[in-house]
Amino acid sequence: MFIVLEGIDGSGKSTQVKLLSKFLTKNGYACVVTREPGGTPFAESLRPMILHDLMETMSRLLLIVSARVDHCNKVILPALKEGKIVICDRFIYSTLAYQGYGEKIDLQTILNLHRLSGCLVEPDLTLLLFGSGRKKLGRDNFESMSEECLLDVCMGYEKIARTYSNVHTIKRMGVGRTSNEIIKIVQGKIGEKQTSSCK
Ligand code: TYD
């Protein structure tokens, strides 16, 4: 099962990734925790460029997809084949939200690029965290985005949640309650998968 956590910077994703993996591991599930951009030595080597270097938005998109292909083929797909639960901090909806809605690259172009690159793994469940979005002051290209652009990213995430049925929106309500809500949704999804694999 492939679970992705999404949200704007400061939405508390990383904390929730840790809490979810702790819960699942404690309950006997084999988990792989990973992140994007990154997750493999090659993809991690592209991460600083993606986050900090100034470049054409299309160049950045190509780097993101390049990192993702490596990550999917070397980490995500092998772990899923071994029956593990993969928990990933950001995935393709980040690209649609930031590069698509934020940086105005055509969404179909982004999707086509993924198709062409053979990067087709789809999350079983995406948990979209909304929150105060504590804005860190300009540490990277995205944290220093204009307010207007950031608003477009947020609106993009809202549209993504309405478009794709596997996306669950979670309003921020404190670390513990958010974690409980996430665990409840994940348990439901695990149950659903077990039932469908028994049929
Ligand atoms: P993140 O790991 O959440 O930041 P940090 O842990 O440093 O707070 O994400 C890094 C940034 O990368 C984030 O601002 C959004 C951006 N990003 C994209 O623009 N497109 C993408 O496809 C991905 C995966 C991330």
Side-chain angles (χ1 to χ4, degrees):
M1 178 156 147
F2 183 25
I3 304 170
V4 174
L5 273 87
E6 289 280 0
I8 57 163
D9 299 294
S11 55
K13 283 178 294 90
S14 313
T15 307
Q16 294 301 335
V17 165
K18 282 191 203 120
L19 291 172
L20 177 61
S21 74
K22 209 169 143 190
F23 171 84
L24 291 171
T25 308
K26 222 171 102 185
N27 284 277
Y29 295 97
C31 285
V32 170
V33 175
T34 186
R35 69 166 183 182
E36 289 216 343
T40 63
F42 171 71
E44 288 291 336
S45 78
L46 296 183
R47 183 176 167 102
M49 260 185 274
I50 293 167
L51 298 195
H52 300 289
D53 289 7
L54 294 178
M55 64 183 84
E56 294 288 317
T57 53
M58 182 53 77
S59 304
R60 183 161 27 243
L61 171 64
L62 291 168
L63 288 181
I64 289 170
V65 177
S66 180
R68 183 162 296 142
V69 170
D70 199 58
H71 188 207
C72 284
N73 291 338
K74 295 194 180 140
V75 173
I76 299 174
L77 287 170
L80 293 175
K81 274 197 192 120
E82 287 168 17
K84 293 181 178 154
I85 296 184
V86 177
I87 307 172
C88 192
D89 189 337
R90 298 192 180 281
F91 198 62
I92 187 170
Y93 297 140
S94 279
T95 317
L96 292 179
Y98 283 83
Q99 279 62 51
Y101 290 98
E103 295 185 315
K104 317 289 177 291
I105 298 180
D106 173 55
L107 298 181
Q108 203 51 53
T109 303
I110 297 176
L111 294 171
N112 286 343
L113 208 53
H114 281 79
R115 218 160 286 137
L116 280 172
S117 65
C119 189
L120 294 172
V121 52
E122 251 186 65
D124 294 293
L125 182 61
T126 296
L127 300 154
L128 174 54
L129 302 193
F130 276 106
S132 56
R134 173 177 41 90
K135 201 173 171 221
K136 289 172 245 161
L137 289 174
R139 278 193 309 137
D140 65 41
N141 290 326
F142 304 100
E143 285 158 7
S144 55
M145 257 179 164
S146 71
E147 285 296 329
E148 196 190 347
C149 227
L150 197 67
L151 214 64
D152 289 338
V153 172
C154 287
M155 273 164 30
Y157 269 130
E158 280 168 13
K159 283 190 193 152
I160 289 166
R162 287 197 295 271
T163 309
Y164 297 93
S165 60
N166 62 357
V167 180
H168 284 251
T169 300
I170 296 173
K171 291 204 174 64
R172 191 138 186 218
M173 44 191 166
V175 175
R177 282 178 65 200
T178 303
S179 173
N180 290 343
E181 177 75 11
I182 288 176
I183 287 168
K184 209 168 77 190
I185 296 170
V186 169
Q187 281 177 316
K189 194 74 190 181
I190 291 174
E192 225 177 80
K193 282 217 129 198
Q194 282 169 343
T195 314
S196 69
S197 69
C198 288
K199 278 181 189 162

